[in-house]
Amino acid sequence: MEKLKFMNAINKIDIPSLKRESSGLKVLFYSFLLFIVLVSCKKEKPTIEITQDNYHQAVDKITEVMVHDIFSPPVASRIYNYPNIAAYEVICKSNAAYQTLAGQLHGFTPVPAIDTTKSINFEVAALVAYLEVGKELVFSEDKVESYRDSLYGSWEKINQEHFNDSKNYGLLVAKHIKDWLATDNYAQTRTMPKFSVNTEDPARWQPTPPDYMDGIEPHWREIRTSIIDSASQFTPSKHPDFSLEKDTPFYKELTETYEVGLEIKKEGETSEKLEIAQFWDCNPYVSTHKGHLMFATKKITPGAHWIGICKIASKKTEADFAKTIYAYTKTSIAIADAFISCWDEKYRSNLIRPETLINQHIDENWEPVLQTPPFPEYTSGHSVVSGAASTVLTEIFGDNFAFNDDTELKYGLPIRSFTSFNQAADEAAISRLYGGIHYRAAIDLGLDQGRELGKFVVNKLQMTTNN
């Protein structure tokens, strides 16, 4: 069509008048016309089409690798946090609706400026940054690289120039994020001493069956927070004073955990409390012992479950590419800081788990529905994280947001439906009582701790221009 238009234009030219001009001018004129025709007929290279589903798939890939590599809940929260921030900062460069996190997150400076002479596809660059940072934080880098290379190969075939420009900018941002994350004190905590168990004090945490593992991440409070002022900013109210006297608040909580466990086992497979406990288990490493054999079941962490809920909400609302990254990023920041806040309290209060006391003083054969995770009891990590994540998701997607949670389908658990993020958080928290791994105070006060932290994130973090 364009060629036809140009040929029509040529036909309308007053050729006789041109003959009166010099031959050199005529040659120049026709050469120019030929150039215009050739340029107009040149086929434009196609655009690399990226959708929010591509980002969901990338997040799912990192989750899959984390499950394979078995990361503890606090460490897993860090693995979600930094890659999402990397992708978000790329999107901020192309979407005026979103504001940079530079100057808001502790120690975070602006990412490199854009070279305006380059043709950057910012969605491609965001995915490059996400995968490059994510690869840095897991053990099985080859699994991420294999997935990444398959994407690179397809994008390169579509438009190599745009892909190279986009990739180069994504790598620049990724390097900036990697330099920043290297200063969060994580590397230093790898060489800090193991947690010392106090066997003299009956109130203090002791390793639990079946593996009697050391306390996980006792120095997590030393990790740099993202947005909260410090690890101790949201220290919860004190739990009831330890006591084995039968009329005391602490002992009543202990017997409640014991009796709920007996009730669930009596009800058997028909118990909804059992279903709730299993649905929210989110223990990345559950070991099973049968005689001399031991095998492990690997699953997602509490943070991963809420990242899955973020995905569900984003897809239900048909959030575009930018809003999808925004939702993941804000949620992951809240989750990461929630784990730091919770672990600060866990190793300060250093409270003994119900399973230990029940076996010592009530029923030596009693077992919790869920396997007790290897760290102190107070507060409940799932309660804190659920409180924080649900508060942020409510701010993003609204209250009374009904959804069907299929996050655990791949682990053989049925879908559960909720009328709001807050209802889901309430159920996640109480599941720890049903599971027999927490006292009620750790659940209720942990949920309060998480929600207060979530409100702080919502109020302080300015990510959209219409805040």
Side-chain angles (χ1 to χ4, degrees):
M1 182 61 71
E2 295 299 322
K3 181 178 180 182
L4 182 60
K5 289 179 181 179
F6 275 102
M7 294 308 296
N8 288 337
I10 291 173
N11 290 334
K12 292 178 183 179
I13 294 173
D14 186 358
I15 300 298
S17 66
L18 284 176
K19 289 180 179 180
R20 293 192 291 269
E21 302 296 330
S22 66
S23 59
L25 183 59
K26 286 191 286 185
V27 171
L28 181 62
F29 181 76
Y30 279 110
S31 298
F32 175 72
L33 286 179
L34 180 61
F35 172 77
I36 293 296
V37 171
L38 291 175
V39 169
S40 69
C41 296
K42 184 179 179 182
K43 186 178 180 181
E44 281 213 16
K45 289 185 179 179
T47 303
I48 302 173
E49 297 291 342
I50 301 293
T51 69
Q52 52 271 30
D53 284 339
N54 296 113
Y55 197 79
H56 291 310
Q57 290 160 10
V59 174
D60 287 346
K61 174 54 66 173
I62 294 297
T63 298
E64 176 190 313
V65 174
M66 282 197 287
V67 170
H68 174 273
D69 289 349
I70 311 176
F71 287 99
S72 68
V75 177
S77 73
R78 180 175 181 265
I79 297 172
Y80 282 120
N81 198 23
Y82 288 116
N84 279 314
I85 291 172
Y88 176 80
E89 286 299 310
V90 172
I91 290 303
C92 284
K93 292 293 185 182
S94 64
N95 194 319
Y98 298 98
Q99 301 184 62
T100 178
L101 295 168
Q104 298 193 70
L105 305 184
H106 301 310
F108 186 47
T109 57
V111 299
I114 300 166
D115 183 346
T116 55
T117 66
K118 303 296 183 181
S119 55
I120 298 173
N121 182 318
F122 288 94
E123 287 81 9
V124 170
L127 279 165
V128 168
Y130 180 88
L131 292 171
E132 186 66 22
V133 175
K135 176 175 71 73
E136 184 83 1
L137 299 174
V138 297
F139 299 141
S140 300
E141 293 185 31
D142 60 310
K143 293 182 181 297
V144 181
E145 288 172 349
S146 177
Y147 174 76
R148 177 202 67 187
D149 291 346
S150 68
L151 293 177
Y152 283 8
S154 63
W155 294 337
E156 200 168 21
K157 290 176 183 176
I158 296 170
N159 192 323
Q160 186 169 10
E161 180 185 356
H162 286 190
F163 167 67
N164 287 336
D165 288 348
S166 306
K167 174 187 172 185
N168 290 338
Y169 185 68
L171 292 176
L172 274 178
V173 173
K175 182 183 183 305
H176 187 84
I177 299 296
K178 288 191 284 187
D179 289 344
W180 174 53
L181 71 85
T183 64
D184 72 355
N185 214 33
Y186 176 79
Q188 289 81 348
T189 61
R190 301 306 90 189
T191 59
M192 291 179 180
K194 291 182 178 181
F195 180 66
S196 298
V197 177
N198 183 347
T199 57
E200 301 297 321
D201 188 340
R204 301 305 164 214
W205 178 79
Q206 298 176 32
T208 51
D211 298 317
Y212 299 93
M213 294 173 62
D214 292 329
I216 286 177
E217 299 298 340
H219 306 288
W220 200 252
R221 70 181 77 180
E222 306 295 332
I223 301 295
R224 178 185 60 209
T225 58
S226 293
I227 188 69
I228 64 174
D229 298 337
S230 68
S232 60
Q233 182 179 356
F234 292 96
T235 298
S237 304
K238 189 180 182 302
H239 60 79
D241 291 334
F242 176 84
S243 174
L244 294 177
E245 297 294 326
K246 292 189 177 181
D247 290 331
T248 59
F250 182 87
Y251 193 81
K252 288 178 180 177
E253 289 196 358
L254 175 65
T255 54
E256 179 187 28
T257 304
Y258 170 64
E259 290 168 357
V260 168
L262 291 180
E263 175 192 339
I264 292 173
K265 289 187 178 180
K266 183 178 179 181
E267 292 175 354
E269 296 298 321
T270 62
S271 172
E272 186 183 14
K273 291 178 180 177
L274 173 63
E275 183 178 322
I276 290 171
Q278 292 173 336
F279 184 79
W280 294 101
D281 183 14
C282 302
N283 187 339
Y285 182 85
V286 177
S287 61
T288 302
H289 294 252
K290 291 186 177 181
H292 296 292
L293 299 176
M294 190 277 283
F295 60 91
T297 302
K298 298 189 286 187
K299 297 168 62 177
I300 57 173
T301 62
H305 194 130
W306 280 99
I307 289 294
I309 292 174
C310 180
K311 173 186 174 181
I312 292 167
S314 298
K315 296 190 78 166
K316 181 178 178 180
T317 58
E318 298 182 348
D320 62 17
F321 191 86
K323 185 174 181 181
T324 294
I325 294 179
Y326 159 68
Y328 275 124
T329 304
K330 198 165 193 175
T331 304
S332 64
I333 288 171
I335 290 171
D337 273 5
F339 270 111
I340 295 172
S341 175
C342 181
W343 253 243
D344 175 65
E345 179 57 37
K346 277 187 179 294
Y347 284 96
R348 176 177 32 252
S349 56
N350 189 18
L351 186 62
I352 195 166
R353 288 277 183 171
E355 180 176 15
T356 306
L357 288 181
I358 290 170
N359 289 161
Q360 289 175 349
H361 302 283
I362 300 177
D363 183 350
E364 65 179 4
N365 296 315
W366 184 89
E367 293 180 352
V369 171
L370 302 180
Q371 191 168 114
T372 302
F375 35 79
E377 193 270 350
Y378 189 78
T379 49
S380 158
H382 216 325
S383 301
V384 177
V385 169
S386 297
S390 62
T391 300
V392 168
L393 287 169
T394 298
E395 186 253 347
I396 296 171
F397 296 104
D399 202 358
N400 301 319
F401 185 97
F403 63 97
N404 297 319
D405 188 352
D406 62 357
T407 309
E408 300 286 341
L409 268 180
K410 65 180 66 176
Y411 304 106
L413 297 171
I415 295 171
R416 291 190 65 78
S417 299
F418 302 98
T419 58
S420 69
F421 300 115
N422 286 322
Q423 187 203 18
D426 289 340
E427 185 177 281
I430 198 64
S431 74
R432 316 321 263 173
L433 176 65
Y434 300 159
I437 59 178
H438 278 294
Y439 313 109
R440 186 172 288 275
I443 294 162
D444 294 344
L445 299 179
L447 198 55
D448 291 343
Q449 179 185 357
R451 283 180 168 145
E452 288 303 309
L453 187 150
K455 290 175 187 175
F456 182 85
V457 173
V458 166
N459 292 329
K460 187 170 183 180
L461 201 57
Q462 304 296 306
M463 295 178 70
T464 59
T465 52
N466 64 352
N467 275 117

